[in-house]
């Protein structure tokens, strides 16, 4: 193993942090977070140990879907700042060693986008084919909508022309016609524009939705017969413009369907992909206090069908609902019962509108175990802003906005997010026991036992253990169902990781056949354990305990 190899594919052992500029830090007191405020918090983010910032949409938008309804792909929402402010932020972030990726929305625009405003003027408008239309009344498509509480069809009648346009998401978000070469050229220009301003790649929204030819004309369907060729073209364009830039894709599909989105063994489509399957299995495991669902999911990753350069991104929470759609109805109900039993905690019948700390009753043992597990999984960890301090949700807010509250910097009424009055904030502050009076950055920084300092330590240990991002996974045999014991090995380097998902302390016996004459160096506390002559070792775990141990062979000079 050569540490210098890790710089070639930086994303394989990065720590990614997702934030919404609008709710992160307000520099001018108008109640809305802004890019100038984000620049002021770059040192905090660098100190946290993250290496890549993912910015949620900051484009001009009617803001009917928290910015995911884009009205101008080249612009900056004037409430958040200017292009100059963005460039200053990116420059400051890079000075601190942070890369920056931004959301790329290929599937749809806002109905206020100039393209759609032109398209709906007439059936022969030059922009008409930028979107997907049909002249005949659609049948029942209620089973295909993404938001069943808001929509009952994926087609919407446009009264002006008497035709229906496609929208997989909200009716105010018409789907782009990716089969149209002109649209594909527009998307490439958008990518090129932001790369020229210094971003390091894109988180690609709703990938499976735009890689389909539903509703396209027969001619376009013939020309777009292989949609994945478009994803390959986007990746090729990206690499031509910036060799180190990445595409991090949102693909919530079973493992069997995922290799094609990576580009198979060629690895020429998405660079990275969120692992929704393992995330959902992790919640099932925590609900059952049984690590086997998570272990089975990790082992089911199609590693032999994707390129070694491809990478999974691991997460516990993100900016959307906690989707559980890859679980069976019975498994989903188990998670609901454990972590969101009340109807107001659930969303769309498939997920939870909650953050992790309230789901775990604020138990610091369980929280620290969960975030240790996040960093210990093979792949690249992704944090959602506020996770590092244990922020909760605001169930009074509709839908996914429940988890998009202002960042809690101090115990002040407006959480130190803004000097504006509470009724002027971009979103209400979290109320109750997880509000800023009890959960904030300032207090956590001064508490050596805080979740914040735990996350900082986990990020440091993860970065010092490239085996986790680059290595091969082995789930280790041991008798305790509540324990996940796994090992990640990269060439000669190896780490052993244990997590107890249950409340009872246990002693975990392990057999490490090739570890004769080695010791296991504890990476989270002082101490080491010798592997005996029969390759065995016993490791004690507290209830909800966790341990990281490096396999140290004779002559190994790595620091513990």
């Amino acid at each position: 193993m050569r540490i210098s190899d890790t710089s070639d594919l930086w994303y394989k052992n990065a720590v990614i942090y997702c934030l919404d500029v609008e709710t992160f830090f307000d520099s001018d007191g108008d109640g809305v977070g802004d890019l100038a405020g984000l620049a002021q918090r770059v040192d905090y983010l660098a100190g946290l140990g993250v290496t890549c910032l993912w910015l949620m949409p900051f484009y001009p938008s009617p803001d009917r879907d928290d910015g995911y309804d884009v009205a101008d792909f080249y612009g900056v929402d004037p409430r958040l700042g200017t292009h100059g402010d963005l460039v200053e932020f990116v420059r400051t972030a890079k000075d601190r060693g942070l890369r920056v990726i931004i959301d790329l929305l290929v599937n749809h625009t806002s109905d206020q986008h100039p393209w759609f405003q032109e398209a709906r003027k007439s059936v022969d408008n030059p922009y008409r084919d930028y979107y997907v239309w049909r002249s005949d009344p659609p049948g029942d498509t209620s089973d295909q909508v993404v938001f069943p509480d808001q929509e009952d069809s994926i087609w919407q009648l446009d009264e002006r022309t008497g035709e229906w346009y496609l929208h997989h998401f909200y009716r105010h978000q018409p789907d782009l016609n990716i089969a149209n070469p002109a649209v594909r050229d527009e998307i490439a220009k958008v990518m090129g524009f932001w790369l020229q301003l210094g971003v390091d790649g894109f988180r690609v929204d709703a990938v499976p939705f735009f890689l389909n030819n539903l509703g396209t004309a027969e001619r376009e369907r013939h020309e777009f017969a292989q949609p994945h060729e478009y994803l390959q073209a986007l990746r090729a364009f990206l690499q031509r413009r910036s060799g180190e830039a990445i595409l991090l894709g949102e693909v919530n599909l079973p493992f069997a369907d995922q290799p094609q989105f990576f580009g198979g063994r060629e690895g020429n489509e998405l660079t990275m992909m969120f692992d929704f399957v393992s995330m959902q299995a992790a919640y099932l495991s925590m609900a059952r206090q049984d690590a086997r669902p998570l272990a089975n999911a990790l082992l089911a990753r199609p590693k032999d069908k994707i390129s070694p350069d491809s990478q999974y991104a691991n997460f516990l929470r993100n900016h959307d609902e906690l989707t559980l759609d890859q679980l069976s109805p019975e498994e989903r109900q188990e998670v609901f019962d454990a972590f969101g039993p009340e109807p107001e905690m659930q969303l769309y019948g498939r997920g939870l509108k909650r953050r992790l700390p309230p789901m775990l009753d604020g138990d610091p043992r369980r929280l620290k175990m969960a975030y240790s597990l996040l960093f210990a999984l093979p792949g690249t960890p992704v944090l959602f802003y506020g996770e590092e301090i244990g922020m909760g949700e605001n169930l009074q807010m509709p839908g996914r906005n429940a988890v998009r509250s202002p960042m809690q910097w101090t115990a002040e009424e407006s959480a130190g997010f803004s000097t504006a009055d509470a009724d002027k904030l971009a979103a209400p502050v979290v109320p109750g026991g997880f509000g800023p009076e009890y959960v904030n950055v300032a207090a956590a920084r001064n508490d050596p036992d805080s979740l914040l300092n735990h996350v900082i330590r986990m990020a440091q240990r993860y970065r010092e253990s490239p085996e986790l991002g680059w290595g091969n996974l082995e789930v280790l045999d041991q008798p305790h169902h509540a324990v996940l014991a796994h090992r990640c090995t990269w060439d000669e380097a190896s780490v052993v990781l244990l997590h107890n998902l249950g409340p009872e302390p246990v002693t975990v016996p392990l057999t490490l056949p090739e570890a004769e004459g080695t010791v296991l160096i504890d990476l989270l506390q002082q101490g080491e354990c010798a592997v005996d002559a029969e390759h065995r070792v016993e490791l004690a775990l507290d209830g909800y305990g966790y341990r990281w141990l490096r396999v140290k062979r004779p002559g190994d000079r790595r620091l513990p």
Side-chain angles (χ1 to χ4, degrees), residues 28-316:
D28 58 10
D30 65 354
V32 179
D34 45 53
L35 290 162
L38 177 56
Q40 292 182 31
R41 289 292 188 256
V42 163
D43 287 319
Y44 165 78
L45 294 165
L48 187 58
V50 303
T51 63
C52 178
L53 303 178
W54 156 25
L55 305 190
M56 291 168 61
F58 50 78
Y59 312 107
S61 165
D63 210 26
R64 298 179 66 184
D65 186 22
D66 203 26
Y68 283 90
D69 48 332
V70 177
D72 178 6
F73 287 120
Y74 296 100
V76 174
D77 186 330
R79 299 176 308 142
L80 310 182
T82 66
H83 286 95
D85 294 324
L86 177 72
V87 170
E88 287 296 296
F89 155 70
V90 171
R91 178 181 177 278
T92 304
K94 293 195 173 187
D95 178 70
R96 306 306 197 270
L98 301 174
R99 290 179 167 89
V100 178
I101 64 174
I102 64 175
D103 258 304
L104 176 68
L105 291 96
V106 181
N107 183 69
H108 56 261
T109 69
S110 164
D111 61 4
Q112 301 304 304
H113 194 288
W115 297 344
F116 192 70
Q117 292 294 301
E118 286 293 316
R120 70 194 317 178
K121 286 181 178 179
S122 68
V123 295
D124 56 359
N125 187 280
Y127 287 93
R128 186 71 170 184
D129 289 341
Y130 273 46
Y131 299 88
V132 181
W133 299 85
R134 64 184 298 162
S135 58
D136 58 315
D140 180 12
T141 57
S142 58
D143 61 335
Q144 300 178 49
V145 300
V146 174
F147 305 120
D149 65 330
Q150 300 289 323
E151 304 290 348
D152 57 14
S153 174
I154 62 172
W155 295 95
Q156 179 65 26
L157 177 64
D158 182 55
E159 299 286 353
R160 184 177 303 183
T161 59
E163 292 191 341
W164 286 259
Y165 62 84
L166 181 67
H167 65 91
H168 277 98
F169 292 82
Y170 296 109
R171 68 188 65 187
H172 57 78
Q173 293 170 321
D175 282 15
L176 285 166
N177 179 14
I178 302 301
N180 183 345
V183 173
R184 298 201 294 270
D185 287 346
E186 293 280 6
I187 297 300
K189 286 192 290 186
V190 168
M191 292 173 61
F193 176 81
W194 294 110
L195 289 169
Q196 198 68 28
L197 289 188
V199 305
D200 298 285
F202 304 90
R203 178 264 185 185
V204 190
D205 188 59
V207 178
F209 288 96
F210 69 77
L211 289 187
N212 71 75
N213 55 18
L214 178 64
T216 55
E218 183 175 349
R219 173 182 55 81
E220 291 176 334
R221 192 178 299 118
H222 175 74
E223 295 174 353
F224 199 58
Q226 301 295 328
H228 280 270
E229 291 181 356
Y230 175 52
L231 201 51
Q232 293 168 15
L234 284 183
R235 176 69 179 275
F237 175 84
L238 180 82
Q239 303 304 156
R240 289 197 303 273
R241 292 294 179 94
S242 177
E244 292 189 346
I246 66 166
L247 296 177
L248 168 56
E250 180 190 29
V251 181
N252 182 13
L253 293 174
F255 281 139
D257 298 327
Q258 293 181 12
Q260 61 180 331
F261 289 89
F262 277 124
R265 294 292 299 176
E266 294 296 319
N268 58 355
E269 296 189 29
L270 295 173
T271 320
M272 302 180 69
M273 195 183 303
F274 291 104
D275 187 351
F276 283 89
V277 176
S278 296
M279 178 275 290
Q280 295 177 48
Y283 277 92
L284 182 60
S285 283
M286 288 192 288
R288 291 179 175 177
Q289 298 181 356
D290 182 341
R292 287 176 294 180
L294 175 56
N296 291 337
L298 294 172
L299 291 172
R301 284 178 172 178
K303 296 292 287 184
D304 59 335
K305 297 181 180 179
I306 64 177
S307 165
D309 292 350
S310 299
Q311 181 73 318
Y312 277 107
N314 301 311
F315 65 105
L316 290 175

Side-chain angles (χ1 to χ4, degrees), residues 390-422:
M391 276 178 59
E393 72 277 350
N394 184 353
L395 292 174
Q396 299 171 13
M397 295 297 291
R400 298 174 295 176
N401 288 334
V403 301
R404 301 176 182 178
S405 301
M407 180 66 178
Q408 296 170 192
W409 297 103
T410 69
E412 298 169 273
E413 180 182 6
S414 295
F417 159 71
S418 175
T419 57
D421 294 338

